[in-house]
């Protein structure tokens, strides 16, 4: 009986921790998906910014992490590595 209680307690403690994915791992996963869709690695930037600053970055929010306190902002780059116009 004590063993079941310990397992239940451990599960309750670890589940929220697993749900809060590392921003770097989320960024890596999204980056792989973008590259798999044919965008060259040098053709985009993917930045981790605080959620309240995501709208000011001039890109598209493509993900979130750290319990939604951080956003991942995608920007397509042109040949000179500067952000291209949205389109």
């Amino acid at each position: 009986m004590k063993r079941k209680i310990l397992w239940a307690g451990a599960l309750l403690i670890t589940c929220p921790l697993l749900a809060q994915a590392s921003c770097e791992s989320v960024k890596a996963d999204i980056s792989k998906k973008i590259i798999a869709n044919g965008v060259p690695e040098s053709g985009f930037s993917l930045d981790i910014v605080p959620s309240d600053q995501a709208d000011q970055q001039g890109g598209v929010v493509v993900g979130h992490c750290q319990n939604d306190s951080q956003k991942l902002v995608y920007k397509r780059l042109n040949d000179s590595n500067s952000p291209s116009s949205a389109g």
Side-chain angles (χ1 to χ4, degrees):
M1 184 65 163
K2 287 183 181 180
R3 187 176 277 180
K4 287 183 181 180
I5 293 172
L6 288 175
W7 274 107
L11 187 62
L12 287 174
I13 291 170
T14 57
C15 283
L17 296 176
L18 294 174
Q20 296 178 14
S22 158
C23 284
E24 289 301 322
S25 67
V26 173
K27 181 179 178 180
D29 290 343
I30 292 173
S31 182
K32 286 178 189 174
K33 290 177 184 179
I34 293 169
I35 293 168
N37 282 325
V39 180
E41 192 170 349
S42 62
F44 69 95
S45 70
L46 195 56
D47 302 313
I48 301 169
V49 298
S51 289
D52 59 349
Q53 296 177 12
D55 295 336
Q56 303 164 0
Q57 298 299 313
V60 178
V61 175
V62 293
H64 59 91
C65 55
Q66 290 185 348
N67 224 10
D68 209 28
S69 66
Q70 302 282 326
K71 302 278 186 188
L72 285 99
V73 178
Y74 166 83
K75 294 179 198 168
R76 186 85 185 243
L77 304 175
N78 59 20
D79 292 332
S80 64
N81 286 338
S82 61
S84 64
S85 59

